[in-house]
Amino acid sequence: MKKDVLDPQGKVVKQTLKNMGYDNIENVRQGKHFEIELNENDQKRAEKTIEEFCKKLLANTIIENYTINYN
């Protein structure tokens, strides 16, 4: 979705992750894929955190595959 389009699903995912204790979330956008911005300077820690997001909330690993792309 375009940046100026409201994204209620992304807001719910962001708040859920914050409620799970992930305080470094800057933004989440959900469309055909998730765009997640973290406030994290350590690349390894950021990668580990995103992997946790996927396994705990974003993907049903029993029936879904996922990939992570870093920019």
Side-chain angles (χ1 to χ4, degrees), residues 7-55:
D7 182 11
Q9 291 173 311
K11 288 185 185 285
V12 169
V13 170
K14 177 183 174 182
Q15 188 58 50
T16 301
L17 289 168
K18 283 188 173 279
N19 292 344
M20 293 172 69
Y22 297 103
D23 295 325
N24 59 345
I25 304 235
E26 290 290 322
N27 194 27
V28 175
R29 305 275 301 161
Q30 181 180 356
K32 291 183 180 181
H33 62 273
F34 291 94
E35 292 181 20
I36 301 172
E37 296 175 25
L38 294 181
N39 183 10
E40 180 61 65
N41 294 325
D42 183 326
Q43 181 71 24
K44 293 287 185 192
R45 191 176 310 165
E47 291 172 6
K48 182 180 181 222
T49 300
I50 295 293
E51 187 72 30
E52 289 175 8
F53 293 170
C54 292
K55 289 180 179 176

